[in-house]
Amino acid sequence: MEIFLYGSLIATLSILLIGFPFFYHGWKSKQSEKYSTKNFKEFVESEQLHLDFQESWRNHYTLALDTKKNVLVYARLGEYPTIAKVDLDEVDHLRLDAHYKTIFHSKKEVKKLDYLDLVFYFKDSKRLPKSIPIFDEQEVPFKADELDIANSWMKNIFSRLKPGSGHAAPWTLSS
């Protein structure tokens, strides 16, 4: 009987020790998500925005739009979390900036998406372009439907831009 209790105690402790990192990671992830959601909501409220469209993906990125004020809000979680807004009335044009890296798989050269950004160019030519990451392989290792998300937002944003200085194509894909 003592051997059975001793064995059960060892098995229980082993399971707890093995499971602890998983439970801890899950708990930290939920705490981080609650914190970032709270910060996002606080930011939106502090800017007095009313979001008509909002899309989140990978529990890492969020894009939202206030159509009345014509303002885009961006949030990114991860190692370097950020929340930013872009007043679309100040934007002249934008482009999708896709960078690929070459890898070798089964003796074949394959291009793999490294990162994908929306780049905003402003009517004021002295103002530097603003880049908003949609996908970064260093933060999220596997691409899913980020290209579709980026193209959808590009079209949505482009429809809200007011003509400015007449630069090149209002939205373009670079690779």
Side-chain angles (χ1 to χ4, degrees), residues 31-82:
Q31 293 300 326
S32 173
E33 187 175 321
K34 284 181 188 176
Y35 178 74
S36 62
T37 302
K38 180 181 172 187
N39 283 345
F40 182 76
K41 288 179 182 176
E42 286 175 356
F43 178 81
V44 168
E45 288 173 4
S46 72
E47 295 289 328
Q48 299 176 344
L49 298 172
H50 301 283
L51 304 178
D52 302 305
F53 301 106
Q54 182 173 335
E55 184 173 14
S56 297
W57 62 100
R58 303 266 189 164
N59 291 329
H60 198 76
Y61 300 99
T62 299
L63 275 173
L65 185 65
D66 180 331
T67 55
K68 289 182 182 161
K69 291 187 178 179
N70 209 22
V71 172
L72 181 76
V73 180
Y74 170 77
R76 180 185 70 217
L77 305 177
E79 193 171 338
Y80 303 105
T82 186

Side-chain angles (χ1 to χ4, degrees), residues 112-146:
K112 184 176 180 185
L113 186 63
D114 193 26
Y115 67 87
L116 180 65
D117 293 351
L118 286 176
V119 183
F120 295 85
Y121 295 89
F122 297 95
K123 293 174 184 174
D124 179 2
S125 60
K126 294 176 184 169
R127 192 168 168 191
L128 294 174
K130 182 171 189 71
S131 183
I132 292 180
I134 301 296
F135 171 77
D136 186 344
E137 186 184 37
Q138 292 179 357
E139 292 189 31
V140 181
F142 302 104
K143 178 183 74 70
D145 57 351
E146 284 82 1

